Amino acid sequence: MTATVSVPPVADIARRDIPAFVRAGERMMWIGGRQVAAVSGRTLPNTDPATEETLASVPRGEAADVDAAVKAARAAFTDPGWADMSPDRRGRILHQIADVIEEHADELATIDSVNMGAPRMLTAHMLAEASEVFRYYAGWPTKLSGVSVPAGKDRMAYTRKEPLGVVGIIWGWNGPMGQLPGKLAPALAAGNTVVLKPAETASLSTLRLAELLAGTDLPAGVVNVVTGLGAEAGQALVAHPGVAKIAFTGSTATGKLVQRQATDTLKRTTLELGGKSPSVVFADADLDVAVRGVAAGFLGNAGQACVAGSRVFVEESIREEFVEKLLKTMEAFTPGDPLTQGTLVGPLSTKAQFDRVSSYLDIAREEGANVVTGGGRFGDHGYFFAPTLLDDVRPGMRVVREEIFGPVGVITTFTGIDDAIAQANDTDYGLAASVWTTNLTTAHRMAAAIEAGTVWINTWAEMSTGNLPFGGYKQSGLGREGGLEGLDTYTQVKTVRIAL
């Protein structure tokens, strides 16, 4: 077992003002514009990770529920109320959704903070970005055009961009309202209908959003929500022959299962998967800025981020100074109540996640890594884990190669730019990276050489509001979300040839 860190206990947070929605007993799924229970009648608890208290329960949907949702989505897809809607009208509805999100941003952000533990300042940022993503894609329905192609005398040829049909969306518990818009907004902008399957442990904000969408002009059945376990509802959604595409965010292991199962019906997939991202700090960097960025890179959201910069590489000549500054900076990341202003690190999302992170610290010690700070439970209740830094690590260690998904960073040194590139790329993943340097040549060379879908220079985790593509290299995923690249994954191209 992992040792308990000797630190002051987290303040009593059991008596907080939280949205009534999460205290309302059993919530319902949304299928065909109606709130429904699971066919089986079974439910799943959603828990507050800061207090370990059970919040509202959600339906434990299974294959029968997924089938009903897909049929409702298919009916909405072919109904003239959606299928024949003008592009301008569809864009206005996306703006309505953005308005609703803005109006209820405080509530939705608080629900996510209570339900999965992310600090309130982080979930508020996610909700601000969410409305902007919908506004960005609201401009696209009027611009989804094909092209006219020269075809010779007495011939005409052109292409059409058309929606795919029913899209299944499955995404992570580590930021529900941060991840969903990048999938839902382009899917709707392209004219698809959707079935949403949120994470079973963090479903409440999605159910509340569905309730809010019912008050917009979005036709019934265009957006459906089925809650339940990944192995039941999620698997049924991936396997359903009536689903044309799966957009998935989650672990690489689960993403591989999704991809394999999707091949049975040859449905399209976009997969945003795990990461073990490098943060590379050169000796010429502004160390004070770099230290803050690096700390936030592996401690933000308690390390529960696919882009977490959990592998820290520091140029050998500044190692001692950098580590000293980093340890000092980490003191500001003391775990606390996610709803308290100024909290930078909340609890891990579930007991299972707490146990997983704890097991990796046991592995780290067994492999010979040195725990510089942290290394175990923080406080005496809730799933809080102390911010942790490991050194004396080697490239082959599991804590260096595998995604821990907790507030744990590993630090090592490099001797020059070629060594930095080699070490940064020595991973099965390739989602993101950060480079800290004041040398423009170094910055551009690193940006070109690092095998990752996103490279940040002198910053970390700056996500776009929809206008830039995001995705991974190697085992960090397939396809892109965001921008025109993301929108294209929700369309198919039809060629038309006419003999005049």
Side-chain angles (χ1 to χ4, degrees):
M1 296 295 294
T2 304
T4 299
V5 180
S6 179
V7 293
V10 177
D12 182 13
I13 56 178
R15 296 181 296 276
R16 298 175 295 166
D17 290 329
I18 60 177
F21 189 85
V22 303
R23 291 293 194 195
E26 183 181 348
R27 308 310 313 187
M28 296 286 106
M29 300 185 292
W30 282 84
I31 296 178
R34 298 186 301 111
Q35 290 182 300
V36 297
V39 171
S40 68
R42 295 194 293 175
T43 62
L44 295 165
N46 271 215
T47 302
D48 181 345
T51 65
E52 303 180 46
E53 293 180 334
T54 298
L55 302 167
S57 62
V58 301
R60 183 172 173 174
E62 298 177 346
D65 305 285
V66 168
D67 186 58
V70 172
K71 288 177 178 176
R74 184 65 194 180
F77 179 72
T78 57
D79 188 279
W82 181 250
D84 296 341
M85 182 180 288
S86 71
D88 180 70
R89 179 65 178 155
R90 190 180 303 136
R92 289 202 300 271
I93 288 177
L94 287 173
H95 275 300
Q96 277 189 337
I97 296 173
D99 290 340
V100 164
I101 290 173
E102 283 185 350
E103 291 166 11
H104 296 270
D106 184 73
E107 178 191 9
L108 292 168
T110 305
I111 290 173
D112 270 353
S113 289
V114 172
N115 197 180
M116 55 74 52
R120 183 63 178 71
M121 61 184 297
L122 177 59
T123 56
H125 180 69
M126 290 179 181
L127 264 298
E129 287 191 337
S131 61
E132 291 305 311
V133 170
F134 275 96
R135 295 206 188 283
Y136 170 77
Y137 280 109
W140 272 110
T142 57
K143 302 170 185 66
L144 279 173
S145 59
V147 295
S148 177
V149 180
K153 186 179 180 180
D154 299 329
R155 293 292 185 270
M156 182 178 183
Y158 62 92
T159 63
R160 292 169 47 90
K161 280 193 176 182
E162 299 182 349
L164 299 172
V166 178
V167 173
I169 298 177
I170 305 172
W171 71 108
W173 45 260
N174 57 316
M177 289 296 103
Q179 297 173 26
L180 176 59
K183 298 173 172 59
L184 179 57
L188 297 180
N192 301 283
T193 57
V194 301
V195 177
L196 309 180
K197 210 301 284 184
E200 57 265 27
T201 61
S203 300
L204 296 177
S205 61
T206 304
L207 293 176
R208 177 58 176 146
L209 178 63
E211 192 172 270
L212 296 171
L213 293 183
T216 71
D217 293 333
L218 191 71
V222 172
V223 175
N224 306 272
V225 183
V226 176
T227 55
L229 299 174
E232 296 172 353
Q235 186 175 19
L237 185 59
V238 174
H240 200 291
V243 175
K245 170 189 167 71
I246 293 291
F248 174 82
T249 292
S251 71
T252 295
T254 304
K256 291 178 180 179
L257 293 176
V258 169
Q259 180 73 355
R260 282 195 288 268
Q261 191 169 23
T263 61
D264 290 339
T265 50
L266 285 181
K267 56 173 56 72
R268 302 184 185 198
T269 61
T270 51
L271 307 174
E272 197 268 277
L273 307 178
K276 194 72 175 178
S277 299
S279 295
V280 184
V281 184
F282 286 87
D284 58 53
D286 182 327
L287 289 193
D288 291 331
V289 173
V291 161
R292 290 193 296 270
V294 168
F298 72 86
L299 297 178
N301 203 14
Q304 299 171 124
C306 52
V307 297
S310 53
R311 294 186 301 139
V312 182
F313 301 99
V314 181
E315 196 156 11
E316 194 171 60
S317 62
I318 59 167
R319 182 193 184 283
E320 185 174 342
E321 180 184 5
F322 183 86
V323 171
E324 181 180 349
K325 287 178 176 288
L326 179 59
L327 292 174
K328 183 67 175 176
T329 300
M330 288 176 65
E331 295 175 4
F333 289 82
T334 301
D337 179 1
L339 299 186
T340 298
Q341 185 176 5
T343 295
L344 298 178
V345 177
L348 295 172
S349 183
T350 62
K351 184 179 185 302
Q353 189 60 21
F354 179 88
D355 291 343
R356 171 187 167 85
V357 176
S358 298
S359 72
Y360 268 102
L361 267 294
D362 294 338
I363 291 169
R365 293 182 176 96
E366 292 169 3
E367 291 182 326
N370 175 48
V371 180
V372 181
T373 187
R377 176 181 287 278
F378 184 97
D380 57 6
H381 66 274
Y383 306 129
F384 293 91
F385 201 92
T388 299
L389 183 66
L390 306 176
D391 69 2
D392 294 336
V393 296
R394 301 181 303 278
M397 288 182 171
R398 289 183 63 188
V399 291
V400 175
R401 304 207 68 82
E402 298 177 15
E403 187 177 37
I404 298 173
F405 229 59
V408 181
V410 299
I411 189 166
T412 188
T413 61
F414 64 90
T415 55
I417 190 168
D418 290 331
D419 186 28
I421 292 168
Q423 291 196 61
N425 288 338
D426 185 17
T427 175
D428 294 330
Y429 298 102
L431 190 58
S434 71
V435 177
W436 304 85
T437 178
T438 56
N439 186 299
L440 190 60
T441 300
T442 298
H444 284 298
R445 184 175 170 191
M446 292 293 293
I450 289 179
E451 298 165 350
T454 297
V455 178
W456 291 290
I457 306 295
N458 295 326
T459 187
W460 180 257
E462 288 191 7
M463 309 301 288
S464 78
T465 53
N467 59 347
L468 284 172
F470 177 77
Y473 283 27
K474 298 188 277 190
Q475 294 192 35
S476 284
L478 298 173
R480 292 294 182 267
E481 295 182 350
L484 179 58
E485 292 88 346
L487 183 63
D488 279 343
T489 68
Y490 292 93
T491 67
Q492 53 194 344
V493 177
K494 176 182 289 180
T495 296
V496 180
R497 294 183 64 95
I498 302 173
L500 300 177

